[in-house]
Amino acid sequence: MDLGSGAPRRAVLATWPTPLEPAPRLARALGLGAEDLWIKREDLTGLGGGGNKVRKLEWICGAALAEGATTLVTTGAAQSNHARLTAAAGARLGLDVVLVLSGSATSSSSGNLALDGLFGASVVWAGKVRGAGLAAAAERVAEQLRQRGAVPAVIPLGGSSPLGAYGYAECGRELLGQAPDLDTVVVALGSGGTMAGLVDVLGPGKVLGVDVGAVDDPAGTVTGLVSALSGTVHAPEALRLRLDQVGAGYSTLTEESMDALTLAGRTEGIALDPVYTGRALAGLRAAVQDGSVAAGRRTVLLHSGGLPGLFGHSAAVARSQDALTVLSP
């Protein structure tokens, strides 16, 4: 599906462009110059608590509306930011939403799940499945909806399809307008669509993806999406990837991510989440330490949102509360 010949239909869900803000105190704490680090505030997209998935959903939902869809069906983990924003997009556009989530009703609570309910989504718990098993569960749900007369549009994990990646190609062009001298954009690599869109416009040398453990083949996933998006072929080894921040697995809290959450909060008053943006900043910190990101060059940390996920992550909440200084009255 080569989208390079023309833009698909768009369902506008947010106000653009998102801000690009300096982060001098965080930059100095990382070992960079005060003017080297900027944060692309994709958490300020507005819809449903904000986050990077809004860019993807504008194009995915635009196509769904054009095809007469009445229901959006998508997949994710219990604390999926993408699922939450799909629920919000459905509410904005007057579409029903069914979220097919891995795990069970006891898997998690609060955080994104509370917002899923607030936005009116229905949930199907798929059990201990991921990848192809979760996608198959979503297809079964979609078939049941068709039998009831609905017209479902099935959205893949994380909205990471060529259409979804198109949203981040747009973001890459937006970034070039805001910071034409950028050297490196650091982004959490989950389902791959965000990094793929950026790589398609900026090239593989300017995008550092920090793997969070969401997919089994992150490099192949990204290069496959780039090829499907524009026809451009990159060898997986051409990508700049860090695979050292996954820890014990996708949903686990690593010490590096917790340190990153604390660092961003105490230097810039910016909240990150433990799964995506915390790992992205931890990866940037490691890259500065090993010299693969250098001082004197413009580096952009893409803040992909995910704040509700922090409140749904019991370990991160407990660690944050434990760090609170309590003074005697």
Side-chain angles (χ1 to χ4, degrees):
M1 186 178 182
D2 185 344
L3 299 177
S5 58
R9 175 174 170 175
R10 183 180 198 171
V12 178
L13 297 171
T15 301
W16 312 107
T18 55
L20 183 66
E21 299 178 346
R25 284 171 49 81
L26 178 57
R28 288 192 292 265
L30 293 174
L32 298 172
E35 298 181 357
D36 293 344
L37 181 63
W38 295 68
I39 300 179
K40 180 63 168 165
R41 298 299 301 272
E42 296 290 274
D43 58 320
L44 301 181
T45 48
L47 179 76
N52 65 321
K53 304 303 183 181
V54 178
R55 284 195 192 265
K56 300 178 181 182
L57 286 165
E58 286 198 329
W59 304 100
I60 291 168
C61 291
L65 289 171
E67 294 168 1
T70 61
T71 307
L72 303 176
V73 179
T74 198
T75 61
Q79 286 295 331
S80 167
N81 297 304
H82 164 68
R84 179 244 310 169
L85 283 169
T86 301
R92 176 73 61 88
L93 298 171
L95 300 171
D96 293 332
V97 176
V98 180
L99 307 176
V100 183
L101 304 180
S102 58
S104 66
T106 60
S107 299
S108 185
S109 63
S110 189
N112 280 307
L113 281 170
L115 291 176
D116 295 340
L118 191 67
F119 300 143
S122 299
V123 172
V124 174
W125 293 103
K128 293 182 179 181
V129 295
R130 55 173 294 179
L134 192 56
E139 289 295 342
R140 290 193 295 271
V141 169
E143 182 55 34
Q144 292 169 0
L145 290 168
R146 292 185 191 100
Q147 292 173 6
R148 298 171 192 165
V151 182
V154 180
I155 303 172
L157 179 74
S160 289
S161 64
L163 271 176
Y166 188 91
Y168 267 87
E170 290 287 291
C171 182
R173 287 184 275 272
E174 187 175 292
L175 265 173
L176 286 175
Q178 293 173 315
D181 61 337
L182 70 86
D183 182 79
T184 300
V185 179
V186 181
V187 59
L189 168 53
S191 54
T194 299
M195 183 175 179
L198 293 172
V199 166
D200 191 56
V201 170
L202 304 176
K206 289 193 172 184
V207 184
L208 173 60
V210 181
D211 182 34
V212 305
V215 294
D216 293 331
D217 180 15
T221 298
V222 171
T223 54
L225 283 167
V226 174
S227 178
L229 172 61
S230 66
T232 304
V233 177
H234 295 293
E237 55 269 22
L239 299 180
R240 293 175 66 187
L241 294 180
R242 294 201 74 96
L243 307 175
D244 57 351
Q245 299 300 322
V246 176
Y250 169 80
S251 62
T252 61
L253 178 66
T254 67
E255 286 300 317
E256 294 83 0
S257 179
M258 191 66 226
D259 288 346
L261 265 66
T262 304
L263 185 64
R266 296 183 180 183
T267 58
E268 300 292 345
I270 290 177
L272 305 180
D273 81 286
V275 174
Y276 292 95
T277 52
R279 281 188 170 105
L281 179 55
L284 170 57
R285 191 178 202 175
V288 173
Q289 291 171 349
D290 68 22
S292 53
V293 169
R297 300 174 182 176
R298 169 110 63 164
T299 297
V300 172
L301 175 66
L302 191 139
H303 190 329
S304 54
L307 178 59
L310 170 62
F311 298 110
H313 199 294
S314 59
V317 169
R319 290 284 297 275
S320 299
Q321 290 181 171
D322 288 345
L324 186 66
T325 300
V326 180
L327 302 177
S328 300

